[in-house]
Amino acid sequence: MNGDELLKLGYKVRFARDKKGITQEKLAELSEISDTTIKLLERGKCNITVLNLLKIAEVLDLNLGIINNKEI
């Protein structure tokens, strides 16, 4: 992913997290990912693995197609 794509991904994760009403720390706890990774992801500074993205999507009740602007 390039920098713009990472920023968009981070925005989508932050939006979904805010909509669900949970903190970055709570998302980290529920997804079993470090809070540092969540913070970096939301700022577009982390090229996250697919496995971790799946964990985040599960906690936020999203499918990866929505996150990536594609239907799955």
Side-chain angles (χ1 to χ4, degrees):
M1 294 184 120
N2 67 36
D4 288 340
E5 291 170 327
L6 289 174
L7 283 171
K8 288 177 187 176
L9 174 62
Y11 173 79
K12 290 175 186 179
V13 169
R14 182 175 59 243
F15 180 81
R17 179 182 58 76
D18 287 343
K19 187 174 179 183
K20 193 155 177 112
I22 61 175
T23 65
Q24 290 176 329
E25 291 77 14
K26 188 66 175 177
L27 176 57
E29 177 187 332
L30 294 172
S31 61
E32 299 178 339
I33 299 170
S34 75
D35 61 334
T36 300
T37 298
I38 299 296
K39 290 173 185 178
L40 289 172
L41 172 64
E42 288 191 3
R43 291 192 343 243
K45 303 289 184 187
C46 177
N47 198 354
I48 193 164
T49 66
V50 172
L51 181 59
N52 283 344
L53 191 55
L54 282 169
K55 291 178 183 180
I56 290 169
E58 184 177 329
V59 170
L60 297 176
D61 299 319
L62 299 173
N63 88 28
L64 289 182
I66 292 170
I67 291 175
N68 198 31
N69 282 334
K70 295 180 181 171
E71 296 281 331
I72 292 182

